[in-house]
Amino acid sequence: MRIIFLFQMAITAALTVLLTLIQVACGQLEDVIIDRYFIPTHCSREVQVGDYVRYQYNGTFKDGRKFDSSLDKDFPFVGQVGVESKVIPGLDKGVQGMCVNERRKITIPPHLAYGVLGAGLVIPPDATLVFDVLLLDLWNKEDKVQIRILHKQQNCKRTVMPSDFVRYHYNGSLLVGNLFDSSNLRNSTYDTYVGQGSLIKGMDEGLLGMCVGERRSIIIPPFLAYDDKGYGTKVPPYATLIFDVLLVDVFNVKDDVKVEVQKIPQPCRRRTVVGDFIRYHYNGSFQDGTVFDSSYSRNSTYNTFIGMGYVIAGIDKALQGVCVGEWRRVTVPPHLAYGENGSGELIPGSAVLIFDLHIIDFHNPKDQVDIKVIYKPAECNLISAANDLIMYRYNCSLLDGTRLYSSDDYPEPPRVTLGQGKLIAGLDEGLQGMCVLERREITVPPHLAHGTNGASGVPSNAVLLFELELLQLQKGVPEGFLFIWLQDSPEPLFPAMDMNQDQEVPLEEFSAFIKLQVAEGRGRLHPGIDSDVILGDMFKKQDRNADGKITEDELNINVNEDNEVPKHEEL
């Protein structure tokens, strides 16, 4: 009997609802009254039949007494609108057309609520119900990830692909605008692989095709986000998520160093190899353009050996095969830079680095002076050598063309005796073997120039380029000598020196004799020293008793002490 009774009640209720709907359609009964007392400024979408909604509500009678509230349950209502609905017809109808963040007061007459039956002890029969509703979320099972590009770089050389590793900043919010998470607040990018299950499905999809520097708004429906589980206390179940994303970095673990040659000088006489020592300027930046380091700011080149592990692997590789004066842009993936750990506070983990390089010079520790003859006169009877006194013109510069110093900066060209340690070793070597009026271009490696310490105006470890012209040449004498015989000296020597045959040779006669030998090409005085000073020193050495004249006995004593004297007159 009970089953038959319940069945009859069900039939009666169904007929009542059907009759009510007919009456409403015919205008015989009251309809739902909707008061849209707050409408958001922006409404991109309204609730339609078949959509899923999530909303908070307060349910009261017309006199204001509350009978139900989602706020008291601390969980909003979630359901589908108009399809096998879990709510009374009036409320189902009342939420249609709502926008997220909209507030409505929905007054529902009894026939669209619980009718003549009421609902247990809570809702009496024929009760008019009032629902105050705030729509929190809205989606449909047919929804897809929505992508809105807010900003995109004009020059986009690479986009995110599956299996790439990305670094990005984001703000994550709910549809109502509540911020639930932000990498910006932590001042740290979110770093992860794309398409390998590390992210929610919607974010995996939303990041594809992004360029570094691009900003996107990615709207993810609940079933492509955290669905019915939510995430912690900040992302409720069934929440549509909005991520505002800025892509900072992208690379793939299979990436190699990328080198873009921007400028290469012609001709390029030599390219770097492993073991060379190089000086270069650089700007170091991230893919978003932020500069993290620069040699220019220190006004000093970076100096290092190539291929020996003194710099990160990517730069070690990129420095091979460069020319002096070349400009390169080098993109270095993290696994060839500072890896997952980064470098202090300067370089974050997993950062792609971009270096703009300008090669200043390079050399090898085994390099010698490189001599290029620019001009050589047809007649060349004398060539410069160690101990010669020369006068020469020069211009000195770095290999990148930076002028350092020049003989033209002084009133007259310099004079110097070669082989006496007065010049840097490479310049001394480059000036030897020249003819008068010959012009040369010599390249001097730093270990034959100013070395690791540099000099005034000369950077450390700098390769120097000299333009040389030999203007004058006076053949010299060996180190330690003031005079040498170029032919055999007279035998016997004293009678030839005693030009007036008075058996004694004063300073004047000694000087006249030596000058005669020089004039006739039989001997040579030390160049660069006043001849009278040299002759005075030579005379004093022969005048053993310091009586102002040299006798044959004094000359013979000196000859016996040193067979080279006076054939090679010592200091």
Side-chain angles (χ1 to χ4, degrees):
M1 286 292 294
R2 179 175 178 80
I3 294 175
I4 295 173
F5 177 72
L6 291 175
F7 179 71
Q8 289 175 337
M9 285 186 64
I11 292 176
T12 302
L15 290 173
T16 301
V17 171
L18 179 60
L19 179 60
T20 299
L21 292 175
I22 293 173
Q23 290 173 326
V24 169
C26 295
Q28 298 176 5
L29 295 176
E30 291 182 89
D31 200 354
V32 173
I33 300 173
I34 298 174
D35 177 12
R36 303 179 71 181
Y37 67 89
F38 176 79
I39 303 174
T41 304
H42 176 71
C43 180
S44 60
R45 178 175 182 177
E46 295 180 347
V47 176
Q48 297 180 8
V49 173
D51 286 342
Y52 286 82
V53 291
R54 182 166 59 87
Y55 58 80
Q56 298 280 15
Y57 68 88
N58 277 318
T60 61
F61 299 114
K62 292 185 73 174
D63 61 5
R65 288 179 296 117
K66 183 170 67 175
F67 62 83
D68 192 15
S69 174
S70 64
L71 298 172
D72 295 340
K73 302 171 185 176
D74 200 27
F75 192 87
F77 173 81
V78 177
Q80 191 175 17
V81 176
V83 181
E84 299 180 358
S85 180
K86 301 177 183 179
V87 299
I88 56 178
L91 186 55
D92 211 25
K93 184 176 182 180
V95 297
Q96 294 179 33
M98 282 192 81
C99 305
V100 171
N101 266 336
E102 181 179 340
R103 290 180 178 272
R104 285 186 177 185
K105 181 177 286 187
I106 305 170
T107 302
I108 304 173
H111 58 273
L112 293 177
Y114 294 98
V116 297
L117 299 179
L121 300 176
V122 178
I123 308 293
D126 294 317
T128 298
L129 306 181
V130 179
F131 286 88
D132 197 328
V133 177
L134 168 63
L135 186 62
L136 302 176
D137 214 329
L138 163 63
W139 74 96
N140 193 289
K141 285 190 175 181
E142 301 300 319
D143 287 349
K144 300 183 183 302
V145 173
Q146 297 181 54
I147 297 173
R148 298 172 184 169
I149 297 176
L150 307 177
H151 172 75
K152 189 170 186 176
Q153 305 282 27
Q154 290 183 348
N155 184 18
C156 179
K157 297 180 179 179
R158 175 174 183 172
T159 61
V160 176
M161 302 287 288
S163 81
D164 281 347
F165 191 93
V166 294
R167 297 173 53 239
Y168 62 90
H169 275 298
Y170 69 90
N171 289 322
S173 59
L174 306 177
L175 274 186
V176 292
N178 295 344
L179 185 72
F180 64 82
D181 194 14
S182 174
S183 65
N184 296 288
L185 295 178
R186 295 189 294 273
N187 197 28
S188 176
T189 57
Y190 191 82
D191 307 343
T192 186
Y193 287 96
V194 176
Q196 297 192 3
S198 302
L199 296 166
I200 57 176
K201 292 180 180 179
M203 184 60 85
D204 253 343
E205 182 180 336
L207 290 171
L208 293 177
M210 284 194 78
C211 304
V212 169
E214 181 178 339
R215 290 181 179 272
R216 282 186 178 183
S217 179
I218 303 172
I219 304 174
I220 304 173
F223 54 88
L224 294 176
Y226 296 105
D227 206 17
D228 61 341
K229 297 179 178 59
Y231 188 80
T233 59
K234 294 186 177 181
V235 179
Y238 301 107
T240 300
L241 306 182
I242 301 176
F243 289 93
D244 289 320
V245 176
L246 169 63
L247 186 64
V248 174
D249 231 337
V250 57
F251 72 93
N252 196 284
V253 292
K254 296 179 181 178
D255 286 350
D256 199 353
V257 174
K258 180 181 178 183
V259 175
E260 300 174 64
V261 177
Q262 298 175 318
K263 179 182 177 182
I264 187 166
Q266 296 296 335
C268 176
R269 298 176 182 174
R270 175 178 173 181
R271 293 182 179 272
T272 53
V273 296
V274 172
D276 283 346
F277 189 90
I278 190 168
R279 297 193 314 122
Y280 61 93
H281 272 300
Y282 69 91
N283 284 321
S285 61
F286 302 119
Q287 289 200 85
D288 65 358
T290 303
V291 175
F292 62 82
D293 193 17
S294 174
S295 63
Y296 295 99
S297 65
R298 296 187 292 274
N299 196 29
S300 176
T301 57
Y302 191 84
N303 308 335
T304 188
F305 284 97
I306 298 174
M308 300 176 70
Y310 292 109
V311 292
I312 57 175
I315 291 297
D316 233 356
K317 185 175 183 180
L319 288 173
Q320 297 177 36
V322 299
C323 303
V324 170
E326 183 174 336
W327 293 80
R328 284 187 172 188
R329 169 164 283 192
V330 181
T331 304
V332 185
H335 46 278
L336 295 174
Y338 294 99
E340 296 179 358
N341 297 324
S343 179
E345 297 181 356
L346 198 62
I347 298 175
S350 301
V352 177
L353 306 182
I354 297 177
F355 291 90
D356 289 304
L357 307 179
H358 179 206
I359 310 305
I360 304 301
D361 67 31
F362 63 87
H363 71 280
N364 193 283
K366 298 178 181 178
D367 284 350
Q368 300 299 314
V369 176
D370 181 67
I371 298 175
K372 180 182 179 182
V373 177
I374 305 300
Y375 169 76
K376 192 168 187 176
E379 293 186 9
C380 182
N381 299 320
L382 292 177
I383 61 172
S384 57
N387 302 307
D388 290 348
L389 177 66
I390 65 167
M391 182 170 71
Y392 67 102
R393 292 181 66 251
Y394 67 88
N395 291 313
C396 179
S397 63
L398 301 177
L399 291 190
D400 66 352
T402 302
R403 183 180 182 276
L404 296 178
Y405 41 79
S406 171
S407 60
D408 296 337
D409 298 334
Y410 302 93
E412 59 180 35
R415 296 175 182 270
V416 70
T417 301
L418 296 176
Q420 302 294 312
K422 304 296 184 181
L423 301 171
I424 58 173
L427 178 57
D428 203 311
E429 181 182 337
L431 285 166
Q432 296 188 35
M434 292 185 74
C435 307
V436 173
L437 298 183
E438 180 178 338
R439 295 196 300 273
R440 286 182 174 182
E441 186 179 276
I442 68 169
T443 304
V444 182
H447 48 276
L448 296 175
H450 296 288
T452 57
N453 296 324
S456 178
V458 181
S460 64
N461 296 298
V463 178
L464 303 182
L465 179 66
F466 286 91
E467 297 172 334
L468 304 175
E469 181 180 10
L470 186 61
L471 302 177
Q472 293 180 8
L473 168 62
Q474 288 180 262
K475 297 301 292 182
V477 299
E479 186 175 0
F481 292 88
L482 295 175
F483 172 85
I484 61 170
W485 290 98
L486 301 178
Q487 301 174 9
D488 290 338
S489 61
E491 291 291 345
L493 179 59
F494 185 79
M497 187 181 298
D498 184 14
M499 299 172 70
N500 62 6
Q501 303 299 312
D502 62 356
Q503 303 302 311
E504 59 184 27
V505 179
L507 175 60
E508 294 77 7
E509 191 173 20
F510 176 83
S511 297
F513 172 76
I514 296 297
K515 288 180 178 180
L516 179 63
Q517 310 311 306
V518 172
E520 294 180 351
R522 291 191 292 269
R524 181 186 299 154
L525 288 170
H526 192 298
I529 303 177
D530 185 88
S531 60
D532 290 336
V533 174
I534 294 175
L535 293 171
D537 287 345
M538 292 173 64
F539 181 82
K540 286 180 181 180
K541 190 166 186 180
Q542 304 303 320
D543 183 14
R544 299 294 292 266
N545 61 8
D547 61 355
K549 55 184 179 293
I550 301 171
T551 63
E552 187 170 7
D553 290 339
E554 287 175 316
L555 187 61
N556 288 336
I557 291 172
N558 277 325
V559 171
N560 290 333
E561 289 178 351
D562 187 347
N563 290 329
E564 293 297 319
V565 180
K567 193 170 187 177
H568 288 110
E569 186 64 47
E570 291 184 329
L571 286 170

